[in-house]
Amino acid sequence: MVKLQMSHDLRQTFSQLSQAPPQAYAFIEGSPDYPDVWGTALMYPCWGGTIFLAEVQGLPQTPQVCSNDIFAFHIHEGNSCGTTPKETFPHVGQHWNPAHCPHPSHAGDLPPLFGSCGYALTLFYTRNFVPEETIGHTLIIHAMPDDFTTQPAGTSGIKIACGEILANENL
């Protein structure tokens, strides 16, 4: 058996997070073409940045061995996940990019979601933003992985799910 050792700071941070509410959150829902997708994203202020936790279920699955169930995940500048009969999530805008950086250095460029049997769980730390800066924007899951190269947004495919980022009023 291998004994893993976590730094004292990280252990203390996880202990505090388990007892503290997130500063911002989003309930993620699939588009009309992907109604089974749903999840939650939580954002906690930490070390001058954000600890970001997302859990998503109902993602599309490829049944072949060696499938590539990787989905681009971004914060977009818009504030509404509404849809119209002609367009899915027309009000989400482009990637959130307050510093006007080239892709993939937008503040809204997040690590991809790695699907496994339709499920994805991600936890990461970023200093690209603090949670309160994301409030009023949207989270988008795309059908394909971000290539982290193509301008302006990585050819990530269609938008399959969206969540509006809200302030946690229960702080």
Side-chain angles (χ1 to χ4, degrees), residues 51-135:
I51 290 183
F52 190 108
L53 171 65
E55 180 182 29
V56 181
Q57 299 183 43
L59 292 165
Q61 301 175 51
T62 308
Q64 300 93 339
V65 175
C66 304
S67 65
N68 186 9
D69 294 340
I70 302 171
F71 305 89
F73 196 31
H74 303 119
I75 298 172
H76 281 238
E77 62 193 8
N79 63 1
S80 172
C81 290
T83 62
T84 68
K86 293 183 180 183
E87 191 176 352
T88 302
F89 311 131
H91 306 291
V92 298
Q94 300 299 313
H95 291 186
W96 179 52
N97 187 15
H100 307 289
C101 298
H103 180 72
S105 298
H106 304 149
D109 290 331
L110 306 178
L113 294 173
F114 289 89
S116 179
C117 300
Y119 178 83
L121 176 67
T122 188
L123 172 71
F124 63 89
Y125 170 75
T126 181
R127 288 198 66 171
N128 288 339
F129 55 85
V130 293
E132 67 187 54
E133 294 173 318
T134 67
I135 294 167

